[in-house]
C-alpha cells in the first residue's frame, strides 16, 4: 500500500499548512439565509448573484419541461440529445449577448477546455493573466500551445510578450471579472492590443454575465464591446443565472468550429433539457428585471463605503465579489470560524486557489441580501478581525 502512504503524507501536509478543505452540508435551498450543518447562517459566499437559484418561475419552467421531456437528455448533442430547449437557449443567448451564434456546454470548466483546445495546438501561443481561473490555466496547458502568463491586468507586460511571439495563432484569455479578486479586466485595451498583434481575444464572463451591463448581458455590454472587439465570450449559467451549464458566444465560424472539433462538447452527454428550460426562463427574467442589478449595486456601494470607515482590508473591486485580504491562511480560517459562530457564512479562500500569503475572505453580495444583513456582516467582520489581531498579539 505504498501509494496510499504517499497520499496520507500529502493530506497531512495540507492540514498542517492550514490548507485542508472541508465541505459543509447544506440543508436548504440557496438563498440569503441557509441551513448549514444544523445552523442557520446568512450566506455571503454563493455566486447566486441575483438570488435566482430558487426562484418560483424558474422552478416551474424546470418542472414543466421535466413533465414534457423527462430528466435525462439521453445522449450527446451530436447524436440525439440536442432538444428544442437546448436550441432555444442557444438562440436566446446569442441574441442577448449580441453575437451571431452561441453553443451550450455542460459546465464552464468544459467550455474553457473546449474552446482553447479547439482553437490552439502545439505551434500556437496562449497569453493568460496570472490570476485567471484554474479552468483557463488547465485548458492552456492541455492545448500544448506555448504558454505565456502575464502580470495581472498588466497591458505592458502582455505587449512585451506578444511582440516576441512569432508564427502560429495567438489567443489572449482573461477572466472578465476575476473570480477571487472581483476586479474587472481592461478588456478595451486588451481588445486594441489583440487587433494590433493579430491575436484572438477571449473573456471568461462567469462573474459578469447577468450582473454587468445595462441589461445584464455581461462585460461586453458593460464595456460596449461588439463581436469584432471581443470575438469569444464564455459565460456560465450556474452563477447569476441560478441554473447550471455554460455557453460560448461568437461568430458563426467560431461556433461551428466548436461543434465540429471541441472534444468536451462532442464527447459528453447534453445537460438535461429541463436545465436548459430553467436557464431560458432565468435569462428572460434577468433581461427584463433591472431591479435586482440595481439593488445589488446599492449593496456593493454601501459595503465598500462602510468597510472603508471600519478600516477593513478591502481589495480593488467594484463588483459583487468583495474579498477582504488576510494573508495568512490560519488567520483567515480563524476569522471565518468566528463569523460562522456569529451566524455568517464566509469561506476563507486559501492557496492554491489564490497565490501564497494572500488568503482572503471571499465575500459575495447578492440581490437577495437586505441592507440590514450587509450591515450586520460589516459589524461582525470588524469584531472578528479585531478579535484575531488581539489573539495573535497576546
Ligand atoms: C465558476 C467558474 C468557471 C467554471 O464554471 P462551471 O460552470 O462552474 O464549471 C469558469 N471560469 C470562472 C472564472 C469561474 O468562476
Amino acid at each position: 500500500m505504498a501509494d496510499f502512504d504517499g497520499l496520507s503524507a500529502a493530506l497531512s501536509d495540507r492540514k498542517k499548512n492550514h490548507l485542508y478543505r472541508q465541505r459543509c452540508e447544506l440543508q436548504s435551498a440557496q438563498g440569503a439565509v441557509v441551513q448549514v450543518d444544523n445552523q442557520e447562517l446568512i450566506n455571503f459566499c454563493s455566486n447566486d448573484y441575483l438570488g435566482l437559484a430558487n426562484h418560483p418561475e424558474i422552478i416551474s419552467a424546470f418542472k414543466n419541461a421535466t413533465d414534457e421531456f423527462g430528466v435525462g437528455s439521453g445522449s450527446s448533442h451530436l447524436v440525439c440529445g440536442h432538444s428544442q430547449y437546448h436550441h432555444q437557449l442557444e438562440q436566446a443567448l446569442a441574441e442577448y449577448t449580441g453575437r451571431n451564434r452561441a453553443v451550450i456546454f455542460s459546465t464552464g470548466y468544459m467550455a474553457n477546455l473546449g474552446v482553447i483546445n479547439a482553437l490552439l495546438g502545439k505551434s500556437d501561443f496562449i497569453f493568460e493573466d496570472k490570476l485567471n481561473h484554474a479552468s483557463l490555466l488547465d485548458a492552456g496547458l492541455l492545448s500544448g500551445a506555448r504558454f505565456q502568463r502575464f502580470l495581472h491586468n498588466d497591458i505592458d507586460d502582455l505587449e512585451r510578450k506578444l511582440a516576441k511571439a512569432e508564427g502560429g495563432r495567438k489567443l489572449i484569455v482573461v477572466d472578465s471579472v476575476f473570480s477571487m479578486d472581483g476586479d474587472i479586466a481592461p478588456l478595451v485595451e486588451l481588445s486594441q492590443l489583440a487587433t494590433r498583434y493579430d491575436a484572438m481575444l477571449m473573456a471568461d464572463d462567469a462573474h459578469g454575465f447577468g450582473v454587468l451591463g445595462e441589461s445584464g448581458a455581461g462585460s461586453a455590454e458593460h464595456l460596449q464591446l461588439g463581436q469584432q472587439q471581443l470575438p469569444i465570450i464564455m459565460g456560465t449559467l450556474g452563477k447569476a443565472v441560478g441554473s447550471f451549464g455554460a455557453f460560448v458566444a461568437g461568430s458563426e465560424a467560431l461556433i461551428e468550429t466548436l461543434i465540429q472539433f471541441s472534444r468536451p462538447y462532442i464527447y459528453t452527454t447534453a445537460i438535461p433539457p429541463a436545465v436548459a428550460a430553467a436557464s431560458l426562463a432565468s435569462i428572460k427574467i434577468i433581461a427584463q428585471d433591472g431591479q435586482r442589478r440595481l439593488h445589488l449595486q446599492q449593496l456593493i456601494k454601501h459595503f465598500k463605503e462602510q468597510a472603508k470607515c471600519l478600516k477593513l482590508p478591502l481589495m480593488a473591486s467594484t463588483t459583487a465579489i468583495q474579498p477582504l485580504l488576510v494573508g495568512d491562511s490560519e488567520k483567515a480560517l480563524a476569522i471565518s470560524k468566528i463569523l460562522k459562530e456569529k451566524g455568517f457564512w464566509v469561506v476563507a479562500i486559501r492557496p492554491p486557489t489564490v497565490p501564497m500569503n494572500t488568503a482572503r475572505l471571499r465575500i459575495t453580495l447578492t440581490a437577495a441580501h437586505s441592507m440590514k444583513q450587509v450591515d450586520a456582516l460589516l459589524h461582525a467582520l470588524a469584531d472578528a478581525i479585531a478579535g484575531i489581531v488581539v489573539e495573535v498579539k497576546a
Side-chain angles (χ1 to χ4, degrees):
M1 298 298 280
D3 281 347
F4 286 91
D5 289 347
L7 296 185
S8 319
L11 288 171
S12 30
D13 246 25
R14 198 163 243 221
K15 274 192 190 139
K16 199 176 71 212
N17 296 320
H18 310 286
L19 299 177
Y20 207 74
R21 269 67 168 163
Q22 264 164 321
R23 301 170 300 172
C24 298
E25 194 176 316
L26 194 65
Q27 294 148 333
S28 68
Q30 281 299 333
V33 177
V34 289
Q35 185 79 20
V36 198
D37 295 335
N38 303 310
Q39 193 191 352
E40 193 166 273
L41 296 176
I42 306 180
N43 182 9
F44 282 102
C45 50
S46 96
N47 299 315
D48 181 22
Y49 299 121
L50 297 175
L52 293 174
N54 190 27
H55 188 284
E57 275 174 49
I58 302 172
I59 296 170
S60 70
F62 182 86
K63 283 183 179 164
N64 292 340
T66 307
D67 287 342
E68 204 185 343
F69 274 74
V71 176
S73 68
S75 157
S76 65
H77 283 273
L78 298 191
V79 179
C80 62
H82 185 70
S83 75
Q84 69 184 46
Y85 287 118
H86 295 110
H87 205 72
Q88 283 168 20
L89 176 59
E90 289 180 353
Q91 287 172 334
L93 287 165
E95 191 183 331
Y96 189 30
T97 54
R99 268 45 185 172
N100 290 350
R101 244 183 116 180
V103 63
I104 304 169
F105 280 77
S106 296
T107 71
Y109 195 115
M110 292 168 75
N112 283 339
L113 287 189
V115 174
I116 292 173
N117 285 279
L119 297 180
L120 302 181
K122 277 205 297 287
S123 52
D124 301 318
F125 290 91
I126 185 159
F127 302 88
E128 298 213 25
D129 188 289
K130 274 217 144 127
L131 298 187
N132 272 359
H133 190 260
S135 57
L136 291 172
L137 301 173
D138 292 356
L141 289 173
L142 184 65
S143 73
R146 284 167 281 183
F147 201 132
Q148 307 268 320
R149 290 175 83 174
F150 58 91
L151 298 175
H152 181 50
N153 283 345
D154 190 329
I155 293 288
D156 297 333
D157 188 42
L158 172 60
E159 179 157 19
R160 281 191 292 275
K161 292 185 158 72
L162 278 166
K164 284 189 208 145
E166 266 171 47
R169 283 187 193 161
K170 295 172 216 152
L171 174 66
I172 303 168
V173 192
V174 294
D175 282 27
S176 51
V177 175
F178 286 87
S179 58
M180 298 300 137
D181 295 66
D183 54 343
I184 299 176
L187 286 169
V188 174
E189 292 81 357
L190 288 170
S191 166
Q192 290 159 356
L193 211 54
T195 308
R196 201 159 347 120
Y197 287 90
D198 197 23
M200 300 177 280
L201 177 63
M202 169 175 177
D204 174 337
D205 209 18
H207 302 278
F209 186 67
V211 186
L212 294 181
E214 183 69 31
S215 77
S219 307
E221 183 185 35
H222 180 62
L223 297 169
Q224 304 194 336
L225 295 168
Q227 186 169 298
Q228 203 70 27
Q229 290 99 23
L230 178 54
I232 311 171
I233 299 174
M234 193 291 290
T236 61
L237 303 168
K239 290 172 177 152
V241 178
S243 173
F244 183 80
F247 70 90
V248 177
S251 70
E252 182 69 33
L254 171 72
I255 301 307
E256 207 46 44
T257 298
L258 296 179
I259 294 171
Q260 300 302 322
F261 299 108
S262 176
R263 294 165 66 90
Y265 181 73
I266 301 167
Y267 298 107
T268 201
T269 301
I271 57 171
V275 173
S279 298
L280 194 57
S282 175
I283 282 162
K284 284 188 186 139
I285 295 172
I286 293 174
Q288 284 159 13
D289 181 3
Q291 209 45 47
R292 284 168 196 275
R293 276 185 296 281
L294 190 64
H295 178 58
L296 179 58
Q297 288 312 321
Q298 286 164 347
L299 294 180
I300 295 168
K301 185 164 174 276
H302 181 73
F303 179 86
K304 282 181 68 85
E305 283 167 5
Q306 296 303 309
K308 201 170 163 205
C309 291
L310 293 166
K311 301 201 162 45
L312 297 176
L314 274 176
M315 292 175 66
S317 163
T318 54
T319 67
I321 303 167
Q322 286 294 326
L324 296 184
L325 189 63
V326 178
D328 181 59
S329 293
E330 187 178 9
K331 210 161 138 183
L333 276 181
I335 299 171
S336 170
K337 185 159 167 271
I338 296 172
L339 288 171
K340 205 168 180 191
E341 285 158 11
K342 292 175 186 275
F344 300 91
W345 199 6
V346 178
V347 168
I349 303 284
R350 293 158 286 157
T353 305
V354 292
M356 287 294 285
N357 303 315
T358 68
R360 65 201 66 181
L361 300 164
R362 180 178 181 269
I363 294 159
T364 50
L365 302 171
T366 78
H369 290 124
S370 66
M371 202 63 98
K372 222 172 117 193
Q373 288 169 327
V374 172
D375 278 330
L377 171 71
L378 283 157
H379 289 110
L381 279 167
D383 287 352
I385 290 176
I388 289 296
V389 172
V390 169
E391 263 171 46
V392 170
K393 272 190 202 149

